[in-house]
Amino acid sequence: MNNDNQLKTAVGEWSRRTVPPEVCALAEAARQRHGGVGAVLFYGSCMRCGRFDEGIVDLYLLVDDYHRAFDSRLQALLNRLLPPNVFYLEVAHGGKTLRAKYAVLTLDDFARGARQWFHSYIWGRFAQPSGLVYARDGESAARVQEALADAVCSFLRRALPQAPERFTIRELWIRGLSLSYRCELRSENPAATARLFDAAPDYYEAVTHGSLQAMGLTMEALPNDGPPRYHLRISPWERKRNSLAWRLRQTQGKTLSVARLLKGLLTFENGVDYILWKIERHSGIRVESSPALSRFPLISLCVTFWRLFRKGAFR
């Protein structure tokens, strides 16, 4: 088995785990809304906690083409210009109401995002564990697995120069995940990013070793009585260049996040309430909705975003 296959095997063993029936029901309902769906991925907080009747399940629909996926030309254009489009879904299942938020992206864009995008929007999310709920055929499944492996490599390539000189794998991922979240509206604290790692430590250990081998990098294991510590030779110039890239990524990411939230007004039912709920969930800062927000959402949201910025919601 070559190094690249070791990484894909580590990613694949997790993504092929049995998916709960609640998630399958939501994925099928979302898939019926759109044409040309090649795969559906499941990720996020509901995957980590295993509760599907209280939160909102996060799904990604990977499609062949935006025009096939949407009846609306406007939706297809928006998804192409500022991917992804995000939608809300409710499904009755087992006497309960299940809820999902799903994003639509072409498989080509997903693969490019995992491998090439400067911003961490795709590789920051999908370097973390995810589940393959649906794949149309073996070729689609293989392309998704390859993109997930690319996401891990992209993440670690950008996170390693920010790690301490001597680090554990846990410290490496906590640092990288913290940086990635700072590139969006939400800025998770170290305790929250530590919980992400602690939810699946075996996964992170396996994909880290597989990814570094695939990239031809060797971590030097250091003598230590506790968790294994490592050292990777990275020049001071590379660390400075990497720090600058993360600062640029944060500026770009927050700008794109605001644009995507505004675009969500066109795709979400009760879009204003969703946007305010999402900001409160990730920043802890609450702004009440009002009739004005419903009547003039774009103007009112500009004012609201400014107030939230001054309160520190986007830092």
Side-chain angles (χ1 to χ4, degrees):
M1 180 183 296
N2 62 38
N3 293 333
D4 189 51
N5 282 340
Q6 289 180 26
L7 173 59
K8 290 179 182 177
T9 298
V11 169
E13 285 177 352
W14 188 278
S15 67
R16 289 193 296 268
R17 292 187 177 191
T18 302
V19 178
E22 296 91 341
V23 177
C24 292
L26 285 164
E28 179 61 21
R31 195 165 67 86
Q32 294 302 321
R33 289 183 170 188
H34 303 275
V37 178
V40 181
L41 282 167
F42 166 45
Y43 74 104
S45 58
C46 286
M47 182 178 187
R48 291 189 293 273
C49 72
R51 296 298 302 271
F52 313 109
D53 56 345
E54 295 180 354
I56 297 181
V57 172
D58 289 298
L59 301 173
Y60 253 67
L61 268 64
L62 304 179
V63 300
D64 299 324
D65 179 83
Y66 293 128
H67 290 288
R68 284 189 62 192
F70 299 108
D71 294 329
S72 165
R73 291 184 178 180
L74 176 60
Q75 291 281 15
L77 178 63
L78 289 172
N79 215 145
R80 184 179 299 278
L81 294 176
L82 184 60
N85 284 4
V86 181
F87 300 88
Y88 178 72
L89 174 68
E90 289 188 0
V91 170
H93 179 85
K96 299 179 180 179
T97 299
L98 305 177
R99 298 172 176 84
K101 170 172 60 72
Y102 68 90
V104 178
L105 202 62
T106 63
L107 188 47
D108 286 341
D109 279 348
F110 183 75
R112 278 192 291 269
R115 185 177 61 253
Q116 298 175 355
W117 282 7
F118 178 73
H119 185 236
S120 59
Y121 192 89
I122 297 297
W123 48 262
R125 281 169 171 77
F126 288 97
Q128 302 174 53
S130 60
L132 184 58
V133 184
Y134 165 84
R136 181 175 51 207
D137 49 39
E139 180 183 355
S140 298
R143 291 191 65 195
V144 171
Q145 299 290 357
E146 182 174 358
L148 294 176
D150 285 341
V152 178
C153 290
S154 295
F155 178 94
L156 289 174
R157 188 180 299 114
R158 292 161 173 85
L160 278 165
Q162 296 301 307
E165 187 172 338
R166 298 168 178 239
F167 59 89
T168 64
I169 289 178
R170 185 175 187 268
E171 290 169 344
L172 168 63
W173 279 90
I174 290 173
R175 177 60 175 159
L177 290 169
S178 296
L179 287 167
S180 179
Y181 279 114
R182 288 179 195 170
C183 296
E184 302 192 26
L185 289 183
R186 59 190 185 211
S187 294
E188 302 285 9
N189 59 44
T193 52
R195 286 193 293 270
L196 296 179
F197 180 93
D198 293 338
D202 292 343
Y203 166 85
Y204 290 110
E205 293 273 351
V207 299
T208 299
H209 289 293
S211 178
L212 293 177
Q213 290 174 358
M215 292 187 291
L217 300 176
T218 302
M219 291 192 304
E220 177 187 354
L222 302 173
N224 188 51
D225 293 334
R229 302 192 75 83
Y230 300 93
H231 171 70
L232 187 65
R233 300 182 190 281
I234 300 174
S235 70
W237 162 246
E238 174 60 21
R239 292 184 185 275
K240 290 179 181 178
R241 189 187 68 83
N242 182 267
S243 295
L244 175 59
W246 276 110
R247 288 196 291 270
L248 294 173
R249 199 171 281 123
Q250 288 177 28
T251 301
Q252 178 201 33
K254 291 183 184 298
T255 302
L256 291 175
S257 293
V258 170
R260 288 188 178 104
L261 279 178
L262 293 173
K263 188 182 68 169
L265 291 168
L266 302 176
T267 61
F268 258 82
E269 297 175 13
N270 301 318
V272 172
D273 292 334
Y274 164 74
I275 289 173
L276 296 180
W277 168 82
K278 186 175 178 67
I279 291 171
E280 179 187 358
R281 179 188 176 198
H282 292 297
S283 70
I285 296 175
R286 181 177 180 81
V287 172
E288 295 291 343
S289 183
S290 67
L293 280 175
S294 299
R295 292 196 302 270
F296 309 106
L298 288 176
I299 295 175
S300 298
L301 274 178
C302 289
V303 176
T304 301
F305 268 79
W306 173 246
R307 291 173 179 170
L308 287 166
F309 175 80
R310 294 189 65 184
K311 291 182 178 181
F314 305 145
R315 296 172 189 169

